[in-house]
Amino acid sequence: MSSTKVGKTWWKETVVYQIYPASFKDSNGDGLGDIPGIISKIPYIASLGVNAVWLSPIYASPQHDMGYDISDYRDIHGPYGTLDDFQRLIDELHKNQIKLLMDLVVNHTSDEHSWFKESRSSKQTPKRNWYFWRDPKYDADGNRQEPNNWRSIFGGSAWHYDEATDQYYLALFLPSQPDLNWSNADMRQATYDDMRFWLDRGVDGFRIDSMNLMSKHPDLPDAKVIRPKEKYQDGSEFFASGPKMHDYIREMRTEVFDHYDAMTVGELGFTKDEQSVSEYVAKDRHELNMVFTGDIVDMDFGPGGKYERDDFHPRKIRHITNMWQCALPKFDGWNSVYLDNHDSGRSLSRYASDKPEHRIASAKMLATYLLTLAGTPFLLAGQEFGMANLGKDYGAESYIDVEAKNAYNAILEQRGGAESSMGDVLREMQLKARDHGRLPVQWDDSPNAGFTTPDAKPWMTINKDHVEWNAANQQDDDDSVLSFYKHLLQLRKDHAGLLVYGSYTPLKERRPGRWSSDQEQSISAAKYDGYEVLVSNGQSEFADGSVRLGAYGTVVLLKQQ
């Protein structure tokens, strides 16, 4: 990597720390994280050296999908706190030079939102067209059928019947999450007003959830039948990145974001090719600052989806990294750099090793990868001290997230209800289920990991490895994973010209036969004369221009001037 001339902005030099509110810190002993709990940990967050917090949804919600089903965009979910608490959070973060990003969920609402309640009340209501309503179809025998054959992202039909008005409404996620109709100009303006409500309070930007689902094909046609044995099919060809998608994003930016210098990162599902991504983030397109394409967190998805097996290999991450690090500069775009988020298993367990003998080196190796790439890095709370997945001794009953539960139950039904046949699915859940990224943060070795009071019942499973793996244990240990992250974050600031704005040139891949990450490797022939060690995870040796890497070893070399 070498220095280049790239336009500088605050969001390019930011490192974002993602907080899942329910799992971060409980201040009142009810077993659920809350906003006062986050405020209490601001000194810790500031000590890391991050510049921004991304807060997963905290809006009023019935919580059928952990707050991604919003019933009021201008209020806070009661158990999390109040609007006054939230304002105090913004103000305290800003006092510590930390910006705040919110999760913007505007592809759908809760069915308890006042907009949807009015929409379903009558076919004649002005808000009827704020959502997707369609008449039933009928088969040759007169049986009522859905308007098309789209499968919900969480399984089953994407259409749900409303008996009172004899029509179906579209919900690509849960039935309680009806999709908004972005072709309706009044709905868009109401949504922009909700965005301004938060930006006026001091919010610094948004991560836009399910961003490219906001434009559907206007005819809502049937999906191609790829799985003949199943009634409902993948309709993403017609509901992702539809014909008006770029119009909506440009309008959103010119009417709202540009007036606040807001940072924007879009969740770009079902879209991973260079040309399509460029249309969202190229500077001259005037759309988004950056996107999450999702390919980093589904490298081990099988051909039939998340809970089929396709083992991770380092070549996969090398290919994805090379592609995006080299592609984005071509059209003056900007990378988001991440390994973990609330929708994924922990990268330490999936892509490296959480075995006791390798866990420290593995966590530091992934930290080195994450914080030396050009782009804006995103960390998930707990990643900075090596939080891992639940272990293999946790059964299916330990997983409470709707996505994993629905998938498990659907496959179980297909297999005739035999739990003994589900070992392969449980294996994939133990790697990839969203629960892992949502585990309560392990603050110390006390009962309930310091997340909540010892006598409280946490809202979800706390990993029993918290006794050894927690933030307090590592706070004063110079060799800990936590200290390593802090060191790298400082290096990133000290060498911003190189590590933030630098250009990326991939080295030629070495292809040893049956090599794996836990084997020692060496690069000899004095290839790196004139270099010095900038950072090492302790599993490398550098002498006479040659590098020897131990298991999960990593080293960053800086060419001497």
Side-chain angles (χ1 to χ4, degrees), residues 161-191:
Y161 184 63
D162 179 67
E163 191 170 348
T165 58
D166 189 31
Q167 283 191 321
Y168 285 85
Y169 66 87
L170 177 67
L172 289 176
F173 293 89
L174 291 177
S176 56
Q177 292 172 290
D179 280 53
L180 287 163
N181 179 9
W182 271 73
S183 68
N184 185 292
D186 290 338
M187 188 284 300
R188 295 201 306 275
Q189 290 303 319
T191 302

Side-chain angles (χ1 to χ4, degrees), residues 378-497:
F378 291 75
L379 304 176
L380 177 64
Q383 188 175 353
E384 74 276 11
F385 58 83
M387 277 185 65
N389 284 357
L390 294 173
K392 294 182 180 179
D393 51 346
Y394 288 88
E397 70 282 355
S398 299
Y399 296 87
I400 64 173
D401 177 60
V402 62
E403 181 207 58
K405 285 172 62 177
N406 285 1
Y408 186 89
N409 291 334
I411 297 170
L412 180 63
E413 183 178 357
Q414 291 171 8
R415 296 180 180 181
E419 293 278 357
S420 60
S421 71
M422 297 294 288
D424 60 325
V425 180
L426 180 58
R427 175 193 182 275
E428 302 310 304
M429 289 172 63
Q430 289 169 341
L431 284 173
K432 309 169 193 172
R434 300 197 303 186
D435 299 71
H436 302 299
R438 304 175 180 196
L439 298 176
V441 173
Q442 297 160 203
W443 294 110
D444 58 39
D445 61 3
S446 66
N448 288 331
F451 160 70
T452 186
T453 56
D455 57 343
K457 180 176 172 55
W459 77 278
M460 76 173 301
T461 306
I462 288 180
N463 200 330
K464 57 190 172 187
D465 76 357
H466 77 273
V467 175
E468 180 180 359
W469 283 86
N470 60 72
N473 277 359
Q474 299 186 26
Q475 194 72 51
D476 299 318
D477 180 356
D478 290 342
D479 293 325
S480 68
V481 175
L482 179 59
S483 294
F484 191 76
Y485 263 96
K486 291 180 179 180
H487 177 57
L488 274 172
L489 285 163
Q490 186 59 51
L491 278 178
R492 190 170 179 85
K493 293 176 183 177
D494 294 342
H495 296 273

Side-chain angles (χ1 to χ4, degrees), residues 528-548:
Y528 295 106
D529 276 337
Y531 286 74
E532 61 178 316
V533 175
L534 184 62
V535 64
S536 166
N537 72 341
Q539 289 292 102
S540 66
E541 295 180 4
F542 178 63
D544 300 324
S546 298
V547 177
R548 182 176 297 276

